[in-house]
Amino acid sequence: MAKYNYFDILEMLSDIAYNAVNTACSDKYTEKKESFEVLRSKLDSTVLELERSLFGDFLPPLERNNIAQYAHSLSDIVSSANEYISIRHKLCCPAGRFEEPSLCISLANEIRDATSILRKIKKSGQMPDLKRFREYLRTAEEAHSADLSKVQGAVLPKAYETIITYAGNLRAQLSTTFDTLIEIMLNNI
């Protein structure tokens, strides 16, 4: 039996990822740079602690790899959120200008909720709501396309194309992370 509680750590990392997305995709923030530095520092130290314990505890290789892969995928969400908010602020664009970022918050929340299921999953009936996540994802993809067409039709400034692209990158990372989590769940039921 492992000495380290990986479920608690993965839940903590998913909370950090959610907070990063929420900060990046809403206008409810103060001192965004400091906020992201704190989130990144907490995330990096937690991932480092998790990796050290993975080397110290006896775990089957597949399980060890899954835990590390998922932790790094959650870290990638924070990186994508940081890139998004950086470009958004550089171009002075409020978060509420586009629909896709608010849907990214919903996707991040779904990931956070699904991560908490990981500790107790024993059969397929305990899987997260895949349909709801895919619906958010589809709606976000449609919003992304609609916003890009507004730029191409000169309804929005050309500079906003970069912001829309970074929002799409964040959405793609959220999708990849969710898929990683589902794969782990399927391997463990």
Side-chain angles (χ1 to χ4, degrees):
M1 183 71 173
K3 302 172 205 163
Y4 195 75
N5 193 337
Y6 296 101
F7 297 118
D8 287 346
I9 296 303
L10 291 175
E11 287 174 9
M12 181 189 317
L13 292 173
S14 70
D15 284 340
I16 293 170
Y18 170 80
N19 290 333
V21 172
N22 193 38
T23 300
C25 295
S26 70
D27 283 325
K28 301 173 188 168
Y29 63 86
T30 55
E31 299 299 320
K32 63 152 183 70
K33 184 172 173 63
E34 181 180 311
S35 175
F36 266 92
E37 286 174 2
V38 169
L39 287 172
R40 172 51 69 188
S41 176
K42 185 175 181 180
L43 183 127
D44 288 344
S45 64
T46 304
V47 169
L48 179 63
E49 178 185 334
L50 179 133
E51 288 173 336
R52 285 183 178 153
S53 70
L54 284 172
F55 285 113
D57 287 347
F58 175 76
L59 294 169
L62 179 62
E63 190 173 331
R64 180 178 289 125
N65 185 46
N66 285 341
I67 292 168
Q69 181 182 10
Y70 188 56
H72 286 280
S73 193
L74 290 166
S75 177
D76 290 342
I77 289 174
V78 175
S79 296
S80 292
N82 189 29
E83 290 170 356
Y84 172 71
I85 197 169
S86 294
I87 196 69
R88 188 167 66 85
H89 283 282
K90 181 178 179 183
L91 297 174
C92 301
C93 180
R97 182 82 174 153
F98 306 107
E99 181 183 10
E100 186 175 21
S102 66
L103 291 164
C104 285
I105 294 171
S106 298
L107 291 167
N109 189 53
E110 291 292 317
I111 288 169
R112 182 174 61 171
D113 290 348
T115 302
S116 68
I117 295 172
L118 195 56
R119 81 171 56 239
K120 59 187 173 198
I121 193 161
K122 300 282 187 239
K123 54 188 173 189
S124 62
Q126 297 168 318
M127 293 288 285
D129 190 341
L130 302 174
K131 185 176 179 182
R132 183 173 54 219
F133 186 88
R134 298 294 177 214
E135 183 62 29
Y136 283 136
L137 191 59
R138 184 189 58 75
T139 304
E141 289 167 348
E142 289 170 357
H144 182 84
S145 295
D147 288 337
L148 281 177
S149 67
K150 289 177 188 174
V151 170
Q152 292 160 354
V155 175
L156 291 173
K158 182 74 173 154
Y160 282 6
E161 185 173 26
T162 305
I163 297 167
I164 295 165
T165 300
Y166 277 84
N169 293 345
L170 176 58
R171 173 188 32 85
Q173 184 56 51
L174 289 161
S175 177
T176 298
T177 300
F178 189 77
D179 290 345
T180 300
L181 178 60
I182 296 305
E183 183 179 331
I184 291 168
M185 289 178 171
L186 290 173
N187 286 335
N188 288 300
I189 55 174

